[in-house]
Amino acid sequence: MLIKRIRDWDLPESAATPEHIGLNRRAAIATMGAATLGFGSIGAARAATPMEVKIEDPGYSKAAMRFDPGRPLTPQKNAERYNNFYEFGLSKDIWQAAQKLPVEPWTIRIDGLVEKPFTISFDDLMKKVKVETRIYRHRCVEAWAITVPWEGFPASELVKLAKPLSSAKYLRYTTLADHKAMPGLSIPFFPWPYHEGMTMAEANNELAFIGTGMYHQPMPKQDGAPIRVVLPWKYGFKSAKSIVRIEFVKDQPETFWEKTSPDMYGFWANVNPKYPTLRWSQARERLIGTDKTVPTVIYNGYEKWVGSLYAGMKQDKTLFM
Ligand SMILES: Nc1nc2c(c(=O)[nH]1)N[C@H]1C(S)=C(S)[C@@H](COP(=O)(O)O)O[C@H]1N2
Ligand SMILES: [Mo]
């Protein structure tokens, strides 16, 4: 019998299911027409367990390990070829499609409740910050996880540069929407452009990070080049990619996923194994690049740093989802 070897970045069948759109997946596919979305990959995906890969930690510095993830790094190839970036299609296999993302020149608009709104090029922004490496876990609400050495700078640095007014209580951040490059924008029921939000206190927490690279390289396009949000204690959908605008606002902003599936996704979205999503449990997570699943931990293991942000708030489904 011929046994086909599965490369470590090949996808198991379940991986190609866009869990985020939940119960409406069938309807969604019918509405949008599979052709625009690169669904070819679902047919091609094999129902196989990914190969266990040897994980080599290339000896990251003590600083990078400050928030010790307590688990090995995801092999680079796995992390970079298993993505959620719906602007390029609903499958996990969008890394090639995402190469169309136009990243040069890239500008970021800072506006809303700030001393003086401005637009800054990515290159100029990079001259104003000190880039560091941080190894963080990343937990998708679809119950898979990766561990990534990010490059970037604290979100608090960005807040400082923006000079928000005291009336600013939240940040609302928005992804590029380029119809020529991004076929996913034709999916009608999504409230494009992708937008998310966090509180000022969350942005100023030392864990909140702005990613500009990973594995010691500039951010791959499929992972949100050239600049994205990284909030490791929240479900992955809060970590919006390829950011073009950061707005400071007074009221809690409505988010892309709240508008899409209010019964499944909320503003806070802090990782919590106790509260299942509509159709599936959040108790465990699958480690991409291995055949392991492990228990999920409250705040994705970062309670020590972020728990105080939510002290006194009612611990219920709305807080965590
Ligand atoms: N603009 C944009 N940002 C996004 C998404 C998206 O579809 N579009 N998906 C989110 C989700 S659900 C996850 S899990 C992470 C995945 O990041 P990665 O593909 O770099 O691992 O990106 C988040 N940021
Ligand atoms: Mo996700």
Side-chain angles (χ1 to χ4, degrees), residues 87-98:
E87 286 85 340
F88 293 100
L90 299 183
S91 102
K92 297 287 177 278
D93 188 15
I94 53 80
W95 68 274
Q96 284 157 309

Side-chain angles (χ1 to χ4, degrees), residues 20 79 82-87 138-141 144 146 150 175 192 194 214 222-224 228 236-242 257:
H20 274 287
Y82 186 93
N83 296 102
N84 270 334
F85 203 161
Y86 279 11
E87 286 85 340
H138 171 98
R139 170 62 157 78
C140 176
V141 74
W144 54 266
I146 50 180
W150 301 103
T175 294
W192 305 113
Y194 198 100
M214 58 199 272
Q222 64 271 27
D223 291 291
R228 67 173 291 174
F237 63 84
K238 299 293 294 183
S239 295
K241 299 176 172 185
S242 303
W257 285 109

Side-chain angles (χ1 to χ4, degrees), residues 112-113 166-173 196-200 247-255 258 267-268:
L113 302 170
S166 59
S167 50
K169 301 289 181 238
Y170 296 84
L171 281 71
R172 181 183 190 275
Y173 40 100
E196 261 299 340
M198 63 178 131
T199 65
M200 287 285 280
E247 205 184 339
F248 289 79
V249 297
K250 184 165 105 352
D251 300 314
Q252 183 178 310
E254 251 202 303
T255 65
E258 273 182 303
F267 176 82
W268 299 99

Side-chain angles (χ1 to χ4, degrees), residues 4-15:
K4 205 164 184 193
R5 272 182 85 80
I6 306 290
R7 284 168 300 161
D8 57 5
W9 58 87
D10 276 349
L11 306 169
E13 185 122 49
S14 62

